[in-house]
Amino acid sequence: DVQLVESGGGSVQNGGSLRLSCAASGLTLHYSIYHMAWFRQAPDKEREGVAVIDGGGTTAYADSVKGRFTLSRDNAKNTLYLQMNSLKPEDTAMYYCAARAVVGGPQKLEPRVYDYWGQGTQVTVS
């Protein structure tokens, strides 16, 4: 079975930093085939895309996190990272890792196109 396991969430003060990780296992294709993304969902709000990275390391970010968050991946370790700096209270949400098997397609931050999801890790900024 495919598993995406997030870690690194927690509570930080306004302006603080956190680094989220997402370890993937059980994928049927090579990890580098998958576009990997982070989404977040705050209470009573829709799930929104935060950042996405393709197998070659090209990234795209939501406008709300550009310049503050950095997405990276280690294909040898099947692991995705999200470095979050200058955190704001509005970044408070459950953060989810997602995977999508794509060959040559564009990066997308639409939840409906992702095949696999993790259980989430909570980030609280106060």
Side-chain angles (χ1 to χ4, degrees):
D1 291 350
V2 175
Q3 282 194 318
L4 301 178
V5 180
E6 301 98 334
S7 60
S11 297
V12 295
Q13 291 187 337
N14 191 10
S17 297
L18 284 173
R19 189 193 196 205
L20 305 184
S21 298
C22 171
S25 62
L27 294 171
T28 55
L29 302 174
H30 194 278
Y31 181 69
S32 63
I33 295 295
Y34 293 86
H35 287 201
M36 301 297 298
W38 286 96
F39 291 82
R40 66 186 182 186
Q41 188 166 16
D44 299 323
K45 291 190 177 181
E46 291 187 356
R47 190 168 296 191
E48 64 171 348
V50 174
V52 57
I53 186 168
D54 66 17
T58 300
T59 54
Y61 297 90
D63 289 343
S64 58
V65 306
K66 281 181 182 176
R68 300 189 298 122
F69 291 10
T70 302
L71 184 61
S72 61
R73 65 191 293 165
D74 185 335
N75 288 342
K77 295 182 178 180
N78 288 12
T79 302
L80 180 71
Y81 304 100
L82 184 67
Q83 178 66 44
M84 305 187 295
N85 298 328
S86 303
L87 282 162
K88 305 175 182 180
E90 50 263 45
D91 295 317
T92 295
M94 185 71 79
Y95 282 70
Y96 298 91
C97 171
R100 170 179 177 239
V102 182
V103 178
Q107 300 163 325
K108 293 188 177 182
L109 277 175
E110 302 165 45
R112 62 180 179 85
V113 306
Y114 282 80
D115 303 307
Y116 305 107
W117 291 85
Q119 292 300 306
T121 185
Q122 178 68 36
V123 172
T124 302
V125 185
S126 59

